[in-house]
Amino acid sequence: MLFDRDGTLIQDVPYNGDPARVRLMPHARAAVDAVREWGVPVGVVTNQSGVARGLVTPGAVVAVLRRVEELLGPFDIWAVCPHGPADRCGCRKPAPGLIHAACAALGTDPRGAVVLGDIGADLAAARAAGARGVLVPNAVTRPEEIADAARTAPDLLTAVRALPAGAGDAP
């Protein structure tokens, strides 16, 4: 099970490098705990273009990662893209690279992964990787992204509960 970070697990504070500004999204802890209870590996796939833009340092990204883990517990994998849109890398969502890297590190096939995110790029990356995506919209999710999503849920816990137990390890 792979979660997007900003706007999905934690409130989206653009280019946040300050752990003190980390706030959980509603039901994030309960959703992550539920997945862990299934025994399914849990990871995060996140674009952090602030690094490429010079707005946040890699060390600040790690500091925020540590704060997220203080609040939610440890994740099995963090896959972070530090590139900007102009870099045209294969890891920046909507490209599938982060999902492929996370699944490879976890020793699982992307076709058995579920990606939970708040914008269309998260779901596009899931599709491109062969994974299933669930959109958990928030105030910045565009109406067309909601309309295009095959699966949506009003919050993370509802999204997780809608999946069969152990969903992250079966195609």
Side-chain angles (χ1 to χ4, degrees), residues 90-164:
C91 57
R92 181 176 169 76
K93 294 180 286 181
L98 288 179
I99 295 166
H100 286 151
C103 288
L106 294 170
T108 189
D109 188 323
R111 292 175 294 175
V114 176
V115 178
L116 295 114
D118 66 315
I119 61 173
D122 299 320
L123 271 58
R127 275 191 308 275
R132 289 178 286 166
V134 179
L135 185 70
V136 182
N138 60 35
V140 302
T141 310
R142 296 188 323 256
E144 60 270 21
E145 293 172 321
I146 297 168
D148 289 345
R151 293 181 187 90
T152 64
D155 60 66
L156 279 177
L157 188 56
T158 302
V160 167
R161 285 182 175 161
L163 298 168

Side-chain angles (χ1 to χ4, degrees), residues 1-91:
M1 187 80 55
L2 302 173
F3 293 88
D4 170 56
R5 190 188 88 170
D6 301 313
T8 302
L9 287 175
I10 63 173
Q11 292 177 6
D12 188 1
V13 175
Y15 312 114
N16 185 24
D18 181 358
R21 297 181 72 193
V22 172
R23 302 285 181 272
L24 294 180
M25 292 297 285
H27 311 293
R29 180 66 197 231
V32 172
D33 286 349
V35 174
R36 287 185 178 124
E37 287 176 17
W38 296 341
V40 172
V42 181
V44 178
V45 290
T46 180
N47 289 347
Q48 294 300 315
S49 69
V51 174
R53 298 170 199 255
L55 301 172
V56 64
T57 66
V61 171
V62 171
V64 169
L65 172 160
R66 288 186 182 133
R67 178 63 180 147
V68 172
E69 288 196 333
E70 286 174 9
L71 297 170
L72 294 174
F75 287 86
D76 298 298
I77 185 70
W78 280 84
V80 179
C81 173
H83 306 110
D87 294 330
R88 291 184 162 72
C89 66
C91 57

